[in-house]
Amino acid sequence: MEWALIGASTIAKDYVINAIRAQDGHSVRTVMSSSAERGAQYAQEQSIPHSHTDLDAILADPDVGAVYISTTNEKHFPQAMAAIAAGKHVLCEKPLAMTIEDAVTMVRAAEAAGVTFATNHHLRCSSSHRAIRDVVAEGRIGRVLSMRIFHAVHLPPHLQGWRINDAGAGGGVIPDITVHDADVTRFILGEEPVNVVAQMAASGMGSGVEDSAMSVWSMPSGAMVMTHESFTHPFAGSGLEVHGTEGSIFASGVMTQQPVGEITLVNEEGRTALPYSNHDLYVQGLADFAGAIRGEGQPAGTGWDGVKALAIAHAVRKSAETGAREAVNYGGAA
Ligand code: NDP
């Protein structure tokens, strides 16, 4: 399977090229950049044979079987629709699109075309998150009462561009990080919020978009979820907690791209460290995607997972804007 990278991005360079190349028989054939010069330099630095500025030329190449879309967020929809129309498998970055309607359209188009479509929600590929999900699903903490996610980080200087000052490109911490927390919540609890209340702030990084958000979500089971996302917290650390009637899970340092962190189960028997493997999150995501192309299971994050995470993030931003409790509109997601 030869891949085209749509977007000469940091995430492709730092994680996804390696993850593609880690799959048997998968390679990166070409990269698309809006700048011929940057694309050529990126291709050279990453040992990619070709670079293009023309998406149609890439999609017309019969040797390209799959595309990885990691451009800025407003470009995901048109690029994914073009790739699907060309019959390519699509691994798309989060947030899938700028609107729920567009995200639903992408996923339905992929289903109609019979191509594999996935959302790159990497955290559900983490062994730590999978271990937490299993403990919850096995009932080891009893009935879940609440979950708290701490995802206030400090955006590194080299990423302080469109994310912090360009609403048109899909900037802001809510489309960037709240979508991940939405996906993690759904993944671990196995249910999705009905409504949310939220506040957001521009606390000092960038302009024109929020750099911090806090929200509380109501789950169908009655459980409550609290999340905190920010670009401006250099020393906060990350983590999540799940509290149930029979036990609590404390996971520190796990809201990250690295396979790190500590998970402790606390119950009547005391404190138990939960083991997990340290596989690369992105390699796992690509393995699941490659398997789905072969007809073996689903991608780790499906298109519908991407739609639902986006829907929750949109409800968070809407609630922060209106000051009201907002129902999550899943747009008819399956
Ligand atoms: P980047 O800012 O690195 O790249 C986005 C686009 O910006 C590129 O497609 C590129 O355009 C342009 N660009 C990159 N470098 C330069 C430069 N030096 N000068 C001018 N333009 C430049 O974004 P990220 O890699 O951080 O994010 C890309 C996407 O991936 C987003 O949708 C984001 O939400 C998602 N993401 C997902 C993560 C995950 O773990 N799932 C983690 C990080 C990001 P061109 O292609 O035209 O050259």
Side-chain angles (χ1 to χ4, degrees):
M1 176 68 62
E2 295 195 66
W3 285 73
L5 307 181
I6 312 299
S9 68
T10 308
I11 178 69
K13 173 166 64 78
D14 288 352
Y15 293 99
V16 177
I17 293 172
N18 170 64
I20 291 171
R21 289 175 173 156
Q23 311 307 318
D24 269 354
H26 288 243
S27 60
V28 180
R29 177 173 174 78
T30 186
V31 57
M32 195 200 88
S33 170
S34 57
S35 155
E37 190 183 355
R38 191 168 62 249
Q41 186 180 348
Y42 191 98
Q44 185 187 24
E45 287 170 0
Q46 303 305 319
S47 304
I48 298 168
H50 308 284
S51 64
H52 278 282
T53 55
D54 180 9
L55 179 61
D56 291 340
I58 288 181
L59 297 179
D61 181 347
D63 289 333
V64 170
V67 303
Y68 168 57
I69 298 174
S70 63
T71 45
T72 49
N73 301 337
E74 87 288 9
K75 294 181 180 151
H76 296 175
F77 174 67
Q79 291 169 338
M81 291 302 288
I84 292 164
K88 313 298 184 189
H89 303 293
V90 177
L91 174 60
C92 188
E93 268 307 340
K94 42 53 63 173
L96 279 189
M98 301 290 277
T99 68
I100 312 299
E101 293 73 21
D102 283 354
V104 167
T105 300
M106 290 156 80
V107 177
R108 292 219 168 108
E111 285 179 349
V115 298
T116 299
F117 184 97
T119 315
N120 198 30
H121 276 303
H122 64 294
L123 288 165
R124 59 168 61 221
C125 301
S126 163
S127 175
S128 61
H129 287 246
R130 291 182 177 188
I132 296 166
R133 177 200 57 179
D134 291 348
V135 167
V136 172
E138 289 159 6
R140 290 172 67 190
I141 63 167
R143 180 167 61 85
V144 174
L145 301 170
S146 63
M147 177 166 171
R148 302 195 282 219
I149 300 185
F150 312 96
H151 209 159
V153 299
H154 192 262
L155 195 65
H158 70 280
L159 294 181
Q160 292 178 21
W162 59 271
R163 268 186 182 77
I164 59 165
N165 59 25
D166 191 347
V173 80
I174 293 173
D176 201 53
I177 304 185
T178 306
V179 285
H180 282 309
D181 294 349
D183 187 62
V184 165
T185 299
R186 294 187 56 248
F187 181 68
I188 289 176
L189 299 188
E191 59 177 347
E192 39 243 352
V194 179
N195 58 55
V196 309
V197 290
Q199 296 213 30
M200 61 184 174
S203 65
M205 191 181 276
S207 62
V209 295
E210 79 288 343
D211 61 26
S212 299
M214 289 188 178
S215 51
V216 177
W217 309 345
S218 300
M219 309 300 279
S221 66
M224 298 178 74
V225 175
M226 184 184 86
T227 81
H228 178 201
E229 300 86 20
S230 181
F231 288 149
T232 63
H233 287 47
F235 306 110
S238 79
L240 68 84
E241 300 171 358
V242 192
H243 302 287
T245 52
E246 311 293 330
S248 286
I249 300 165
F250 296 85
S252 64
V254 297
M255 304 303 289
T256 168
Q257 295 170 296
Q258 308 298 330
V260 297
E262 290 177 8
I263 314 173
T264 307
L265 172 64
V266 182
N267 56 20
E268 272 188 353
E269 288 154 30
R271 303 174 68 83
T272 312
L274 291 183
Y276 65 90
S277 74
N278 64 349
H279 65 241
D280 182 296
L281 283 63
Y282 296 89
V283 171
Q284 181 66 52
L286 263 292
D288 291 350
F289 186 79
I293 291 174
R294 292 193 302 270
E296 299 163 11
Q298 293 282 309
T302 64
W304 293 118
D305 289 321
V307 171
K308 290 178 180 177
L310 181 66
I312 297 162
H314 273 234
V316 166
R317 190 180 258 161
K318 191 171 173 198
S319 173
E321 285 168 351
T322 62
R325 180 194 302 237
E326 296 289 347
V328 183
N329 170 13
Y330 291 100

